Amino acid sequence: MGKGRLEAFSDGVIAIIITIMVLELKVPHEPSLEALAPLWPVFLSYILSFVYIGIYWNNHHHMLHAVRHVSGGVLWANSHLLFWLSLTPFTTEWMGENHFARVPVAIYGVGLSMNAIAYTILVRVLVSSHGHDSEFAARIGSDLKGKLSLVLYISAVALSFVSPWVSLAIYFAVALIWIIPDRRFERGAA
Amino acid sequence: MGKGRLEAFSDGVIAIIITIMVLELKVPHEPSLEALAPLWPVFLSYILSFVYIGIYWNNHHHMLHAVRHVSGGVLWANSHLLFWLSLTPFTTEWMGENHFARVPVAIYGVGLSMNAIAYTILVRVLVSSHGHDSEFAARIGSDLKGKLSLVLYISAVALSFVSPWVSLAIYFAVALIWIIPDRRFERGAA
Amino acid sequence: MGKGRLEAFSDGVIAIIITIMVLELKVPHEPSLEALAPLWPVFLSYILSFVYIGIYWNNHHHMLHAVRHVSGGVLWANSHLLFWLSLTPFTTEWMGENHFARVPVAIYGVGLSMNAIAYTILVRVLVSSHGHDSEFAARIGSDLKGKLSLVLYISAVALSFVSPWVSLAIYFAVALIWIIPDRRFERGAA
Amino acid sequence: MGKGRLEAFSDGVIAIIITIMVLELKVPHEPSLEALAPLWPVFLSYILSFVYIGIYWNNHHHMLHAVRHVSGGVLWANSHLLFWLSLTPFTTEWMGENHFARVPVAIYGVGLSMNAIAYTILVRVLVSSHGHDSEFAARIGSDLKGKLSLVLYISAVALSFVSPWVSLAIYFAVALIWIIPDRRFERGAA
């Protein structure tokens, strides 16, 4: 079974997720910079989530490029990932509108953790459908960066009750780690 | 006539349907778990509809993969299916916001029934355009699962006036049956 | 220059137009059929516009299938068509929410007229870029159905001040004429 | 690495941006032309932004057509462009709803400037990944039109505090310059 439509459908869903988040930036009534300024927490949340969704699209793109065939289980693991990603506009808006209060910052981190877990499940399903001694499995390797990210997300969820700003800093730090595209697949494709 | 654009357009519409439903999850004003908790019925409805739209995309994907050619009638049968699917965000939100009250639960089931009928019409149009003795028709077979689902949806609509929770359990049960991808086409493709 | 991305972009825009219209169906607060009933004018408008956007996608699909090459002028004529199509959710909602009052029904017809004019311009640009003695130009022919539709839309706009229901009947009648896919291209492709 | 998915994802995001802006055209409550008339500033903003997003899609289409290969840096430069483009619905609505008041008109110009800078960065990353003596670099040339546009946007931002109408005229004038598709790539493709 071809992977073309899986890529097209994922591209569509991810493109919509990344774009509808801008609807959360509610236009202020007054035409002044003073009226614009209070939007900064929503805008900062938007930037963070735009980067994260961009990272997932980027890594999804790289990984699918290396995929040889797609099974029924892969379709469902992919839908499962899209489900958690689709909740990002919700967690983003809640965190932004509440100016990075503890609970919404923690829930945002829970969302990031679920995205990471769903991505790992997709990787596992793909590895097992290609075989553990396949070229695909060799390229995935130990996925140290993925495991480290999950540990950092969970730490940030816990730390949000100490200081939500520390958690936010961790979310941005992990995003920075990932902006470097996944070399495993780029090397393989080169 | 090629099927590429039919798949692309269907992917686009289905991707938007599955994603805009998240706009129904209205962000609570208070930054607390207590404020988040009352969202559970809308969230549960969202999960159910996400799974159903995912199932339709999945089966549409498998079926179109086996299609050899697309006639004008197929284009309209496909648009007819997309029309009913496009009403899912509406029935989902109404059911969730009213905490699974009788009438919205029944209307949700009417929506599922119309989806199933529209899908069956698309299957029939495809079978008749490929010929009843074609490989495509042989793979479709008797469509027992489709017929059973429709009977269960209609039962659930009727039962909603006894207990909407029984209907909801039926909706989830039918979804579970379908999460197993359509083996008819996967076997064929293997 | 290839036509693939033009088709993909048009599919994307048309898919979004046809789908976001469902956001106009505002969920009623009460969980009863009595609360659902007053939505019929918005629902009827939705059906009409879904069919029209479906017709444009369908005919666009058929016509682009026959196109051999795409010039800069074609890209702009196509964007011009998408612009007018993109106003459909607005005219649809205004007509539905005002229960088919005179002015919104007339403006809806103005929208249909602009869609038809923009489509005709796209056809003309394509014909002139393929050459008036090309196979493409031969298939387009005199475009009698297109010209008749435009006359009917303009008549319906005028008649809306006599009776908006007559105009609405004309809009549905023209849609029915077009549901029959454009035989010119289907014949050519067969 | 192929450029197909980059094009598909960009098409998806740009298609959504250009289409969701119509949601800003809020339907008036009264069914009269008098109720429709006050929408003209929002409608004019919509036209302007539709044209600009169309220009970016158009030029992106032409440029990517000439691209031979896509690196990780290109993916991120492209996402960066999509980020700034995605803010267009926000700046458009703010400018329209405030009837072209000074600050929103200036911010709209800041948005246009950021789009232009992000596009230039994408061009630079593509040139450096293809090599400065490549066919791609030769076609790009000095990008005089791009540099002139940026100077005009920045001038318009400054001039908005003298007269926002002058700024608006500049925005429309630059759009007109760009409606002529990028000949550099069209010549190359011919």
Side-chain angles (χ1 to χ4, degrees):
Chain A
M1 180 154 305
K3 67 183 176 180
R5 268 195 85 181
L6 180 69
E7 290 181 325
F9 184 66
S10 305
D11 283 354
V13 171
I14 295 172
I16 299 158
I17 292 170
I18 211 170
T19 317
I20 61 171
M21 284 193 299
V22 85
L23 297 175
E24 294 163 8
L25 278 170
K26 302 280 166 25
V27 166
H29 288 296
E30 294 298 308
S32 65
L33 287 175
E34 292 74 37
L36 201 61
L39 282 181
W40 75 264
V42 180
F43 189 58
L44 189 65
S45 299
Y46 179 62
I47 294 172
L48 182 63
S49 291
F50 193 99
V51 170
Y52 265 109
I53 301 291
I55 288 166
Y56 275 100
W57 179 76
N58 215 325
N59 288 336
H60 193 270
H61 176 129
H62 280 84
M63 184 166 70
L64 264 285
H65 193 76
V67 159
R68 294 284 159 263
H69 45 84
V70 168
S71 65
V74 169
L75 292 182
W76 282 108
N78 193 66
S79 291
H80 178 244
L81 171 62
L82 295 178
F83 173 78
W84 289 107
L85 289 177
S86 80
L87 295 175
T88 305
F90 176 83
T91 57
T92 305
E93 188 177 0
W94 202 36
M95 183 169 77
E97 291 206 346
N98 286 289
H99 292 212
F100 307 105
R102 276 150 219 267
V103 176
V105 167
I107 293 292
Y108 189 86
V110 171
L112 290 180
S113 305
M114 294 312 299
N115 292 347
I117 291 168
Y119 194 81
T120 303
I121 292 173
L122 176 59
V123 170
R124 290 293 142 236
V125 172
L126 279 165
V127 165
S128 89
S129 87
H130 283 75
H132 288 277
D133 52 357
S134 64
E135 192 195 339
F136 181 86
R139 274 199 217 157
I140 291 284
S142 66
D143 193 22
L144 192 68
K145 201 156 76 166
K147 283 170 189 158
L148 178 66
S149 302
L150 187 54
V151 169
L152 285 167
Y153 295 148
I154 293 169
S155 311
V157 170
L159 283 166
S160 69
F161 296 94
V162 181
S163 162
W165 300 104
V166 172
S167 308
L168 196 63
I170 294 172
Y171 301 154
F172 271 99
V174 177
L176 278 177
I177 300 175
W178 280 101
I179 280 181
I180 304 150
D182 206 320
R183 294 285 167 200
R184 289 174 296 189
F185 293 107
E186 209 157 342
R187 259 203 309 271
Chain B
M1 180 154 306
K3 66 184 178 181
R5 268 195 87 182
L6 180 69
E7 290 181 326
F9 184 66
S10 304
D11 283 354
V13 171
I14 296 173
I16 300 158
I17 292 170
I18 211 169
T19 318
I20 60 171
M21 285 195 297
V22 85
L23 297 175
E24 295 163 8
L25 278 170
K26 303 280 166 22
V27 166
H29 289 295
E30 293 297 308
S32 66
L33 287 175
E34 291 74 38
L36 200 62
L39 283 181
W40 73 265
V42 181
F43 189 57
L44 189 66
S45 299
Y46 179 61
I47 294 173
L48 182 63
S49 291
F50 194 99
V51 170
Y52 265 109
I53 300 292
I55 288 166
Y56 274 100
W57 178 76
N58 214 325
N59 288 335
H60 192 270
H61 177 129
H62 280 84
M63 185 166 69
L64 264 285
H65 193 76
V67 159
R68 294 286 158 261
H69 46 83
V70 168
S71 65
V74 169
L75 292 182
W76 282 109
N78 194 65
S79 291
H80 179 245
L81 171 62
L82 295 178
F83 174 78
W84 289 108
L85 289 177
S86 80
L87 295 175
T88 305
F90 176 83
T91 57
T92 305
E93 188 177 1
W94 202 36
M95 183 169 76
E97 291 206 345
N98 286 289
H99 293 213
F100 307 105
R102 276 150 218 267
V103 175
V105 167
I107 293 292
Y108 189 86
V110 171
L112 290 180
S113 305
M114 294 312 299
N115 292 347
I117 291 169
Y119 194 81
T120 303
I121 291 173
L122 176 59
V123 170
R124 290 292 142 233
V125 172
L126 280 165
V127 164
S128 88
S129 88
H130 283 75
H132 289 276
D133 52 357
S134 63
E135 193 194 338
F136 181 85
R139 275 200 216 155
I140 291 283
S142 66
D143 193 22
L144 192 68
K145 202 156 73 167
K147 284 170 188 157
L148 178 66
S149 301
L150 187 54
V151 169
L152 286 168
Y153 295 147
I154 293 170
S155 311
V157 171
L159 283 167
S160 69
F161 295 94
V162 181
S163 162
W165 300 104
V166 171
S167 308
L168 196 65
I170 294 172
Y171 300 154
F172 271 99
V174 176
L176 278 177
I177 300 175
W178 280 101
I179 281 180
I180 304 151
D182 207 319
R183 294 285 168 199
R184 289 173 296 188
F185 292 107
E186 209 157 343
R187 259 203 309 270
Chain C
M1 179 155 304
K3 66 182 179 183
R5 266 194 89 182
L6 180 70
E7 291 181 325
F9 185 65
S10 305
D11 283 354
V13 171
I14 296 174
I16 298 158
I17 293 170
I18 212 170
T19 318
I20 61 171
M21 286 194 297
V22 85
L23 297 175
E24 296 164 7
L25 278 170
K26 304 280 167 22
V27 166
H29 288 296
E30 293 298 308
S32 66
L33 288 175
E34 292 73 39
L36 200 62
L39 283 181
W40 74 265
V42 181
F43 189 57
L44 189 65
S45 299
Y46 179 61
I47 294 173
L48 182 63
S49 292
F50 194 99
V51 169
Y52 265 108
I53 301 292
I55 288 166
Y56 274 100
W57 178 76
N58 215 324
N59 288 335
H60 193 269
H61 176 130
H62 280 85
M63 185 166 69
L64 264 286
H65 193 76
V67 160
R68 294 285 157 263
H69 45 83
V70 168
S71 66
V74 169
L75 293 182
W76 283 108
N78 193 65
S79 291
H80 178 245
L81 171 62
L82 295 179
F83 174 77
W84 290 108
L85 289 177
S86 80
L87 295 175
T88 305
F90 176 83
T91 57
T92 304
E93 188 176 1
W94 203 36
M95 183 169 77
E97 290 206 347
N98 286 289
H99 292 213
F100 307 105
R102 277 152 217 269
V103 175
V105 167
I107 293 293
Y108 188 86
V110 171
L112 291 181
S113 305
M114 295 312 300
N115 292 348
I117 291 168
Y119 194 82
T120 302
I121 291 173
L122 176 59
V123 170
R124 291 291 142 234
V125 172
L126 279 166
V127 165
S128 88
S129 88
H130 283 75
H132 288 276
D133 52 356
S134 64
E135 192 194 339
F136 181 84
R139 274 199 217 159
I140 291 283
S142 65
D143 194 22
L144 192 68
K145 202 156 76 167
K147 284 170 188 159
L148 179 65
S149 302
L150 187 54
V151 170
L152 286 168
Y153 295 148
I154 294 170
S155 312
V157 170
L159 283 167
S160 70
F161 296 93
V162 181
S163 162
W165 300 104
V166 171
S167 309
L168 195 66
I170 293 172
Y171 301 153
F172 272 99
V174 177
L176 278 176
I177 299 175
W178 280 101
I179 280 181
I180 304 152
D182 206 320
R183 294 284 168 199
R184 289 173 296 188
F185 293 108
E186 208 157 344
R187 259 203 309 271
Chain D
M1 181 154 305
K3 65 182 178 181
R5 267 194 88 180
L6 180 69
E7 291 182 325
F9 185 65
S10 305
D11 283 354
V13 171
I14 296 174
I16 299 158
I17 292 170
I18 211 169
T19 317
I20 62 171
M21 285 193 297
V22 85
L23 297 175
E24 295 163 7
L25 278 170
K26 303 278 166 25
V27 166
H29 287 296
E30 293 298 308
S32 66
L33 287 175
E34 292 74 39
L36 201 61
L39 283 181
W40 75 263
V42 181
F43 189 58
L44 190 65
S45 300
Y46 179 62
I47 293 173
L48 183 63
S49 292
F50 194 99
V51 170
Y52 265 108
I53 301 291
I55 288 165
Y56 275 100
W57 178 76
N58 215 324
N59 289 336
H60 193 270
H61 176 130
H62 280 84
M63 184 166 70
L64 264 285
H65 193 76
V67 159
R68 294 285 157 263
H69 45 82
V70 169
S71 67
V74 170
L75 293 182
W76 281 108
N78 192 67
S79 291
H80 178 245
L81 171 62
L82 295 178
F83 174 77
W84 289 107
L85 290 177
S86 80
L87 295 175
T88 305
F90 176 83
T91 57
T92 305
E93 187 176 1
W94 202 36
M95 184 169 76
E97 290 206 346
N98 287 290
H99 293 213
F100 307 105
R102 277 151 218 270
V103 176
V105 167
I107 293 292
Y108 188 86
V110 171
L112 290 180
S113 306
M114 294 312 299
N115 292 346
I117 292 168
Y119 194 82
T120 303
I121 292 173
L122 176 59
V123 170
R124 291 291 142 236
V125 172
L126 279 165
V127 165
S128 89
S129 88
H130 283 76
H132 288 276
D133 51 358
S134 64
E135 192 195 337
F136 181 85
R139 274 199 217 159
I140 291 283
S142 66
D143 193 21
L144 192 69
K145 201 156 75 167
K147 283 168 189 159
L148 178 66
S149 302
L150 187 54
V151 170
L152 286 168
Y153 295 147
I154 293 169
S155 312
V157 170
L159 284 167
S160 69
F161 295 95
V162 182
S163 162
W165 300 104
V166 171
S167 308
L168 196 64
I170 294 172
Y171 301 154
F172 271 99
V174 177
L176 278 177
I177 299 174
W178 280 101
I179 281 181
I180 304 151
D182 206 320
R183 295 284 167 200
R184 288 173 297 189
F185 293 108
E186 209 157 342
R187 260 202 308 271

